[in-house]
Amino acid sequence: MLDSVAEKIKQIWNETLADIKREISAGDYEAWFSKLHLIEIKDDIAKISAPSKHVKDNVTWRYADVIAKALNACGCQINCVNIDVYDSNNPETVAKSEEGKNNKTVAETTVLDKKFTFKNFIVGKPNEFAYAAAMRVAESDTPVFNPLFLYGGVGLGKTHLMHAIAWHIKESHPQKRFIYLSAEKFMYLFIKSLRYKDAMSFKEMFRNVDVLMIDDVQFIGGKDTTQEEFFHTFNELVDNNRQIILSADKSPADLDGMEERLKSRLGWGLVADIHPTNYELRLGILQSKARKHKIKIPNEVLEFLSMKITSNIRELEGALNRVVAHATLVGSSITIDMASDVLRDLLRSNEKYITMDLIQRKVCEFYNIKLTDLTSTKRHKAIATARHVAMYLAKQLTAKSLPDIGRSFGGKDHSTVIHAVKKVKENIAMDREFATNLEILTKSIEN
Ligand code: ADP
Ligand code: MG
């Protein structure tokens, strides 16, 4: 049994090495790969032994992604490659003396997420500019905007777009070397290189790339030496006409703890922001994700989720997955009632941001009427329209019941709310300008 596992590992490793041999020069192969051993594959981690720290570091920095890719091409599902120094008497085990240091020295690489492709990226108004910019950079042979700086709130698709660029480059320009890493990883490698007085291989690793992508650069702020190194690496690559792609949660000018010269340098290329989602985009994304599930998900449930979960796309996806998982486990069908039950906590936290008071205030501002008019019984057309809209938005954007909504409008009946919602729906269908205004108003409430 054990033998057969060992055999299997050996076979995978031989195939992997054969793959790598085709990808890199004979000299490099001999220098870095001839003495490596695959020790084990556990979950999505491949453990590899190297003959020396020098080989280990170089292979980790330069080839961890190549190894992961080759292993995956041989049928493995590796997300992480751990390389350690081995025991010279027994090359197939990691040296005992090194094991204790593993926590400090094990480096891993992130393999690109298979789902994060351009094909799987749904484009809508809030992200169309960032999408177009990313596409342009991915398709062009030489840097068009340098750097491309993508920014936006959490869970809105920055990492997805960066991986999509990487996938595209892998397919259309396989000879190009690219590195994708988080800013945290960048700092980790840098600090590690200082600790081991090995700054050369750190520099070397970046010097050879055609495309450098660093995700979440806001984390570099405040760390002076890392900033300095980042700045040099950055300048050197730009001077050599290499493409740099960065992401952050804020625009370059707003990055905290970042040196002025670095901020200004980061803004030299193209700065593309991803706006908070709107209803159409959320629905589009959910419809696309829903098609990938085996279970039937009624469109009205997708509409319900898109209406209620406005925070970000990650949370929206999570909500859909929870509903699907619940339905599959319990064997029930998916309905709005079931979804609101399963997602009670999530709906409440999303609702927190949109209160009745906020809706009423925004509607009054928009239609230029007084709050007391909104909750009055006046039937003046402008006031009645604003009241209908406010009730409609309360129904769509909060989890309040119809009687509750009625009460917030000066003690009106729930049937008044039903009538208002119906009226607004009719107007949306008939009057384009009304529909557009409503969209603008919704956006201003959601953001
Ligand atoms: P960020 O890096 O901005 O925090 P991510 O790129 O990790 O966000 O996106 C969060 C999740 O939402 C991911 O699962 C991603 O695939 C998904 N997502 C984001 N934007 C889109 C989009 N436009 N179309 C489809 N999925 C998206
Ligand atoms: Mg991200």
Side-chain angles (χ1 to χ4, degrees), residues 10 29 43 73 118 148 164 174 177 181 291 295 356 363 373:
K10 206 164 251 170
Y29 181 84
D43 302 326
F118 280 124
L148 169 62
R177 288 267 306 139
L181 76 180
R291 279 195 286 276
I295 187 166
M356 193 67 87
V363 169
D373 285 340

Side-chain angles (χ1 to χ4, degrees), residues 113 115-116 120-124 127 152-162 215-216 247 274 281 285 288-289 312-315 317:
D113 191 314
K115 299 187 296 295
F116 290 4
N120 287 342
F121 192 84
I122 308 296
V123 186
N127 60 21
V154 60
L156 296 181
K158 300 181 295 295
T159 299
H160 188 136
L161 275 182
M162 287 180 116
D215 208 350
D216 289 322
S247 87
I274 306 185
L281 179 61
I285 290 172
S288 134
K289 310 253 176 212
N312 68 52
I313 300 168
R314 190 173 297 134
E315 210 158 275
E317 268 182 354

Side-chain angles (χ1 to χ4, degrees), residues 213-232:
M213 302 188 214
I214 302 187
D215 208 350
D216 289 322
V217 294
Q218 71 271 12
F219 292 122
I220 291 181
K223 322 273 187 317
D224 289 350
T225 45
T226 327
Q227 272 193 48
E228 188 75 25
E229 189 52 42
F230 176 61
F231 191 62
H232 288 309

